[in-house]
Amino acid sequence: MMAATEEYDVVVLGAGPVGENVADRVRASGLSAAIVESELVGGDCSYWACIPSKALLRPAIARADARRLPGLREAVGGPLEAPAVFARRDEYVSHWKDDGQVGWLESVGVDLVRGHGRLAGVKRVAVSDSDGRERVLTARHAVAVCTGSRAALPGLPGLAEVRPWTSREATSAAAVPGRLAVVGGGVVATEMATAWQALGSEVTVLVRGSGLLGRMEPFVGELVAASLTEAGAKIRTGTSVAGVRRSAPGGPAGFGSGAGPVTLTLDNGEHLEADEVLFATGRAPRTEDIGLETIGLEPGNWLRVDDSCQVRDVEGGWLYAVGDVNHRALMTHQGKYQARIAGAAIGARAQGVPLLETDPWGAHAATADTAAVPQVVFTDPEVGSVGLTAARAEAEGRRIRVVDYDLGRVSGSGLYADGYRGQARMVVDLDRGHLIGVTFVGPGVGELLHSATVAVAGEVPVERLWHAVPSFPTISEIWLRLLETYRG
């Protein structure tokens, strides 16, 4: 794993899914690559985010679906077996060991350098290992910053002593708190509220705004809130946390430390007591200690990039920022997409290609970051969305038509679950004649989303979609119902 030479064509900072994909793509272009990582190869997604959260959520969603079917609901009336859920989660995160992913790096010819990497000037990265030894890697062509993001905590006095949960503790905890307060109303807040309520916690969600999932279509948060409330969670909107304290701080959060309860002081002066508190209040870039000051950039900032993920504020075109760190679309799949684009761009520039394909939807332009970002929220009901909301499209001055349809009226939905509740919306750009946004809410809709993503990214004319015949009786018949409503 330790290279004989300290010089590479490309040096990648961060071995999460994004960094791994950048390294893989530049290797596919015939370039040498080293990747620097201070934690586990595979990053947050593999060990503290996407994978463990979905492992926790899947039993909750499966049970909710089963309870909607006569003949099955009677067999699943009991609680989830938390130890079994945790054990399956632990298997999916490889018990927080990265041997498999290290082996994959070796198989594609990427050198792994363990330690904390910092930029040390133009095309230079200094790496300090756990013993304090330092080595310097130089890049012939490019350095790619793929250090991701971390949970952003509010500046409440004494918060560190309280040892609150962030997304990391919420996805890795091995014991079910009796009472869990969730601060926030976004994806992490709603998914973890869903998971821990199903596992047996009494969940209270504190939302500063007027509802859940506020960046999505309004009906999304309404349906998710209704379902969470029916499951037993309490949701309080228009509520902020003004203070927090723990009676006995104890050990690290989330690992059965025996710490005392947490008291939250709300902005109206009320007090709320919980056994653990999860702050899901946004993300911050992991750029505070990666040497940005050595190249004239401000530590702790997001990095501005063009559509090939080349950093705008650095001369020479050698620095790239890929994934969360550039603040374009903070999702693993979108970061991996950027990595494929950036890796191809680095390879082409290294080979002296005179003109890159940087027009929209070109090989070296991450156009989907602005036009066709797909997202699934694994709550009950599930949410799938891609592209623009109606409000965002109108704010951009587009001439649109919004088409809504009750998902519960589709034959496949009724067969999927008794009392199926859901909603679908497509946003049509009337001047261009294709979809620019689609949203589904309802049980099982996550697997519908890629069809919508293809329609939006492919700019498929609405009239051509009429010839894409959905199978009967599936939930995907929603496409026919939306198009029929559009045609009138």
Side-chain angles (χ1 to χ4, degrees):
M1 292 190 296
M2 302 295 284
T5 177
E6 300 294 305
E7 186 176 47
Y8 295 86
D9 291 320
V10 179
V11 177
V12 180
L13 273 179
V18 175
E20 289 176 317
N21 274 266
V22 170
D24 183 45
R25 288 298 85 205
V26 299
R27 285 291 296 133
S29 296
L31 303 179
S32 63
I35 194 165
V36 180
E37 179 55 58
S38 60
E39 291 189 295
L40 296 177
V41 174
D44 269 27
C45 176
S46 298
Y47 306 103
W48 300 287
C50 314
I51 298 301
S53 66
K54 278 49 186 185
L56 292 175
L57 283 159
R58 181 58 195 147
I61 303 306
R63 184 181 65 170
D65 283 345
R67 286 176 170 177
R68 298 183 180 106
L69 292 172
L72 186 55
R73 68 167 61 99
E74 296 80 7
V76 293
L80 295 175
E81 294 186 14
V85 174
F86 295 149
R88 183 171 184 264
R89 184 262 326 265
D90 294 352
E91 287 292 327
Y92 267 90
V93 299
S94 301
H95 298 274
W96 290 276
K97 296 179 181 178
D98 62 3
D99 299 11
Q101 302 216 42
V102 171
W104 178 82
L105 284 178
E106 293 173 345
S107 74
V108 297
V110 175
D111 287 344
L112 172 62
V113 180
R114 297 276 194 183
H116 178 66
R118 301 179 80 257
L119 293 166
V122 176
K123 298 183 182 180
R124 289 167 60 85
V125 174
V127 184
S128 301
D129 66 19
S130 58
D131 295 324
R133 294 172 298 192
E134 184 174 288
R135 58 190 293 192
V136 176
L137 311 178
T138 60
R140 299 182 189 93
H141 298 292
V143 174
V145 176
C146 308
T147 49
S149 64
R150 55 177 172 76
L153 292 170
L156 295 174
L159 184 60
E161 288 72 27
V162 169
R163 295 185 178 273
W165 280 12
T166 67
S167 53
R168 281 199 168 198
E169 290 76 26
T171 57
S172 61
V176 179
R179 300 162 298 173
L180 174 65
V182 179
V183 183
V187 175
V188 172
T190 53
E191 287 191 345
M192 290 298 93
T194 299
W196 288 102
Q197 179 69 37
L199 284 164
S201 290
E202 295 179 8
V203 172
T204 302
V205 183
L206 305 173
V207 189
R208 184 171 57 183
S210 59
L212 302 179
L213 298 167
R215 295 184 179 180
M216 307 183 92
E217 299 286 8
F219 58 81
V220 170
E222 294 168 5
L223 285 167
V224 172
S227 181
L228 273 171
T229 301
E230 289 170 7
K234 297 180 178 65
I235 299 173
R236 302 182 57 171
T237 58
T239 303
S240 296
V241 177
V244 60
R245 61 181 175 82
R246 191 187 287 270
S247 58
F255 294 92
S257 61
V262 179
T263 300
L264 290 84
T265 302
L266 308 183
D267 54 358
N268 63 1
E270 182 182 347
H271 293 90
L272 174 69
E273 190 173 273
D275 297 295
E276 296 291 352
V277 56
L278 162 62
F279 278 89
T281 49
R283 306 290 295 177
R286 284 183 175 146
T287 60
E288 67 277 7
D289 188 24
I290 60 167
L292 291 182
E293 68 279 2
T294 70
I295 55 170
L297 299 181
E298 186 69 27
N301 282 357
W302 304 100
L303 297 175
R304 297 192 318 124
V305 298
D306 64 16
D307 280 349
S308 71
C309 295
Q310 198 173 62
V311 175
R312 294 181 182 275
D313 302 316
V314 173
E315 293 182 359
W318 59 274
L319 187 65
Y320 291 74
V322 193
D324 280 13
V325 76
N326 63 34
H327 207 230
R328 285 169 67 101
L330 277 66
M331 284 163 274
T332 295
H333 51 269
Q334 213 64 26
K336 291 165 71 173
Y337 159 73
Q338 292 174 16
R340 295 190 292 270
I341 298 294
I346 292 169
R349 286 172 173 140
Q351 293 162 10
V353 174
L355 189 63
L356 269 60
E357 299 176 41
T358 55
D359 289 338
W361 307 112
H364 308 116
T367 309
D369 283 349
T370 54
V373 174
Q375 181 172 22
V376 176
V377 186
F378 293 82
T379 46
D380 174 35
E382 283 183 346
V383 182
S385 70
V386 62
L388 305 182
T389 62
R392 173 74 180 275
E394 288 177 340
E396 292 184 2
R398 297 174 184 256
R399 196 170 65 91
I400 64 170
R401 182 176 168 191
V402 176
V403 182
D404 290 328
Y405 199 86
D406 180 354
L407 254 172
R409 293 170 57 194
V410 175
S411 296
S413 301
L415 290 166
Y416 188 93
D418 284 2
Y420 189 104
R421 288 186 299 180
Q423 186 74 22
R425 169 172 289 183
M426 69 179 192
V427 181
V428 183
D429 186 315
L430 294 175
D431 293 320
R432 303 189 67 184
H434 63 77
L435 305 185
I436 54 175
V438 180
T439 299
F440 303 118
V441 187
V445 300
E447 298 301 334
L448 289 179
L449 185 60
H450 195 61
S451 60
T453 303
V454 170
V456 173
E459 298 181 349
V460 181
V462 174
E463 294 305 315
R464 178 57 65 87
L465 286 176
W466 186 252
H467 297 280
V469 182
S471 297
F472 177 85
T474 64
I475 302 175
S476 63
E477 270 200 302
I478 185 60
W479 281 108
L480 176 58
R481 303 301 171 224
L482 288 167
L483 291 166
E484 286 176 334
T485 304
Y486 178 74
R487 281 195 162 196

